[in-house]
Amino acid sequence: VMLGLSPVLVVYVLLSIVNQFIRRFFIRHICREHMTDEEYEHKGVFTLAVDSQIKYYKTWDHAKVLSYAVYWGIAYLFLSVLGSRFVTVFLSWLIETTQNLHISLVTGIIVAVGMVLFLLPPIPGIPIYLAGGIVLVNVGRDYFGVYASIVYACFVSLIIKLLGCCMQQKLIGGTLGSNIKVRQAVGINSEGIRAMRVILSENGFTRRKVAVLVGGPDWPVSVLCGILGLNLFPILVGTLPVALLIVPSVLSGSCAYLGSLEEDGVEKYPFADTLGAISAAFIAGTMLYFTLSAVNAVKDTLENDKETIEAIPFDEAVQEADAEAVKVSEAYHRVTIWKEVPIFMKIVLILAVLCMTTCCYMLMIFGKRCFKDYDLMYTIDEHLDGNWINLVLPLGRVALLLFVISYALLLVFETWAKVSDCLIASFGSGLTHLFSRNNFRLYKDQGQGFDGNTG
């Protein structure tokens, strides 16, 4: 709300002022019978409704809300803007680079890139399958033909998924499972993960076990299997239904590529756009079904297997790490209570939000003036004058500069909060006022210590 609707909120407040002015000085007595006593007696600048909303707004954790607004802007920029624009440039470069290579070498490159991405917790599998559908079909159509190359891309993508599960389970879960940070990242003590432990430890292939393997989050589920020391082969077999998601993902990527091919100014594969739209819809439906199946499996286990879950011992080392993380979070919150934050730091955080809001609106409203139009079948040499940075137009560079400034200001605020917390923890709570309200004020008596004593 703070990031996306801030201009609307400004207009809303201004209209409230105008409304209250007219109501108070012109029609207050005329419309007395239509007003409550509270509205009639209200003499504020804003309407009674907006005034109550502003009072509620003042109870918010402003530092947290404003920081989250910046982070939402960062997420929007990477997922909706940079993720689409620059990924298109990267894929076009990959298509151009690999089109003269042998299919076996291109397959090795796709598998290697997929393995690296699968080892990163935030990266889902769909972008990997989409890239495989584009690049492998581009090269494979000269070897196998278009349709056989799509089947080949589906097969390679499934292999990448299974190899990724192997790496996550054996390399991270099995080898690094003793590391507290890894177990903490998985959430080994959370109710959901404890329920998954019960499900994944079941013998054979139960419905809820397959639901978790296919619909659960890739990284935590596979790593958890490694931590539990489960046999690899049954886990891989239970993961095979994920092909129902891989096939439409590969088709979607393949159709995006085929739809960009032209012959004498006419689309070479006119069905590609329609098939791509159907594939995208099937992806969304499949993901929803898999996710809901996994959620329901965990929910049923939490309700019906309470005794089994309670019998699982908690990881004490992770409990201590979680408790320490809570202490750090509480200390950070204590330092960033809005009324205690120095004026300068308030300005820094507010400017961060304003810069991010301006950046996002520029990219949403003036997107075509911020970036050049670029298609999968374009080349960097021909359409960007040999430099991929030329994708960003001058207005886009201003927007990205605002993004950098916003993130830098947020880092300044967070660094101040962490340093203040560390100093308060070291010298005592008496420093709270020193680093907040008075903004590093100097003591008149230079010999006076932090606790008020000399020395």
Side-chain angles (χ1 to χ4, degrees):
V1 174
M2 289 295 300
L3 184 66
L5 299 180
S6 50
V8 179
L9 292 176
V10 173
V11 174
Y12 175 70
V13 171
L14 292 176
L15 288 176
S16 170
I17 295 173
V18 175
N19 185 1
Q20 177 64 8
F21 178 80
I22 296 173
R23 177 182 295 179
R24 182 177 175 185
F25 295 102
F26 294 97
I27 63 173
R28 181 183 175 198
H29 300 290
I30 299 174
C31 301
R32 175 67 182 89
E33 60 183 17
H34 301 291
M35 301 172 66
T36 64
D37 292 339
E38 190 176 6
E39 287 177 326
Y40 182 78
E41 298 295 334
H42 181 65
K43 297 181 180 180
V45 177
F46 310 103
T47 60
L48 184 63
V50 172
D51 194 51
S52 63
Q53 291 167 354
I54 291 175
K55 289 178 181 177
Y56 175 68
Y57 165 74
K58 289 179 180 179
T59 65
W60 290 7
D61 184 345
H62 293 87
K64 187 175 183 180
V65 171
L66 295 175
S67 298
Y68 279 6
V70 177
Y71 281 120
W72 274 110
I74 294 171
Y76 165 76
L77 194 74
F78 276 97
L79 297 177
S80 300
V81 180
L82 300 182
S84 59
R85 303 280 183 175
F86 288 101
V87 166
T88 301
V89 175
F90 171 73
L91 289 175
S92 72
W93 170 82
L94 195 60
I95 291 171
E96 182 185 9
T97 303
T98 58
Q99 63 184 355
N100 295 323
L101 299 179
H102 193 272
I103 185 64
S104 59
L105 182 58
V106 175
T107 302
I109 294 172
I110 292 296
V111 171
V113 172
M115 288 295 93
V116 173
L117 294 179
F118 263 118
L119 292 178
L120 303 176
I123 305 297
I126 290 180
I128 301 170
Y129 312 143
L130 289 172
I134 294 171
V135 177
L136 291 174
V137 171
N138 171 54
V139 179
R141 65 193 181 104
D142 294 330
Y143 291 88
F144 316 121
V146 171
Y147 304 109
S149 63
I150 293 176
V151 174
Y152 178 74
C154 292
F155 174 76
V156 172
S157 297
L158 179 60
I159 295 300
I160 292 174
K161 167 63 178 176
L162 296 179
L163 288 176
C165 291
C166 293
M167 297 281 282
Q168 290 167 346
Q169 180 173 339
K170 291 299 182 182
L171 178 62
I172 300 178
T175 305
L176 302 178
S178 58
N179 185 285
I180 296 176
K181 293 293 183 183
V182 173
R183 302 202 305 276
Q184 190 177 20
V186 172
I188 197 73
N189 285 335
S190 66
E191 287 190 354
I193 295 297
R194 286 162 64 82
M196 287 185 186
R197 291 181 67 172
V198 174
I199 295 171
L200 295 173
S201 299
E202 294 175 340
N203 295 323
F205 300 101
T206 62
R207 182 176 180 179
R208 63 181 187 177
K209 184 175 183 178
V210 174
V212 168
L213 289 173
V214 176
D218 291 344
W219 200 85
V221 170
S222 296
V223 172
L224 180 62
C225 291
I227 293 174
L228 297 177
L230 302 179
N231 291 329
L232 178 62
F233 183 73
I235 297 299
L236 295 181
V237 174
T239 307
L240 288 178
V242 78
L244 294 174
L245 179 62
I246 292 176
V247 171
S249 300
V250 172
L251 271 177
S252 184
S254 301
C255 290
Y257 166 70
L258 296 175
S260 63
L261 297 178
E262 294 183 354
E263 194 172 63
D264 298 329
V266 179
E267 291 184 353
K268 195 171 182 180
Y269 299 95
F271 62 85
D273 291 338
T274 303
L275 183 58
I278 295 173
S279 298
F282 196 83
I283 292 171
T286 305
M287 284 186 64
L288 179 62
Y289 175 76
F290 282 167
T291 303
L292 291 178
S293 297
V295 170
N296 286 330
V298 173
K299 180 182 176 181
D300 290 342
T301 304
L302 288 171
E303 293 175 352
N304 301 322
D305 296 88
K306 291 182 179 180
E307 294 182 359
T308 306
I309 294 174
E310 291 173 357
I312 299 175
F314 283 95
D315 190 318
E316 294 182 0
V318 173
Q319 273 187 318
E320 293 177 1
D322 289 339
E324 187 63 30
V326 170
K327 288 181 181 179
V328 171
S329 177
E330 290 176 348
Y332 182 87
H333 172 72
R334 208 164 45 240
V335 171
T336 56
I337 295 174
W338 194 246
K339 66 180 181 180
E340 300 290 345
V341 175
I343 294 295
F344 178 73
M345 284 299 137
K346 289 181 180 178
I347 294 173
V348 166
L349 189 55
I350 292 171
L351 283 177
V353 176
L354 291 176
C355 288
M356 185 61 71
T357 303
T358 306
C359 167
C360 292
Y361 269 95
M362 288 175 66
L363 295 176
M364 283 190 293
I365 299 173
F366 306 108
K368 291 186 177 180
R369 296 183 181 181
C370 293
F371 297 95
K372 279 188 175 181
D373 288 331
Y374 197 85
D375 192 74
L376 275 175
M377 296 312 296
Y378 288 179
T379 62
I380 295 175
D381 289 336
E382 181 179 352
H383 297 88
L384 296 179
D385 299 326
N387 190 348
W388 62 271
I389 296 178
N390 292 330
L391 175 72
V392 186
L393 298 174
L395 187 62
R397 296 183 184 186
V398 173
L400 294 181
L401 177 62
L402 288 173
F403 165 78
V404 173
I405 293 173
S406 174
Y407 186 59
L409 291 173
L410 179 63
L411 287 180
V412 170
F413 180 85
E414 291 184 340
T415 302
W416 163 81
K418 291 175 182 177
V419 170
S420 298
D421 177 53
C422 290
L423 290 171
I424 291 170
S426 299
F427 296 103
S429 59
L431 279 183
T432 301
H433 299 288
L434 179 65
F435 289 104
S436 56
R437 292 177 178 173
N438 297 315
N439 196 16
F440 302 105
R441 63 179 175 83
L442 295 175
Y443 280 80
K444 293 180 180 180
D445 185 0
Q446 294 183 356
Q448 188 178 23
F450 288 118
D451 57 357
N453 300 320
T454 58

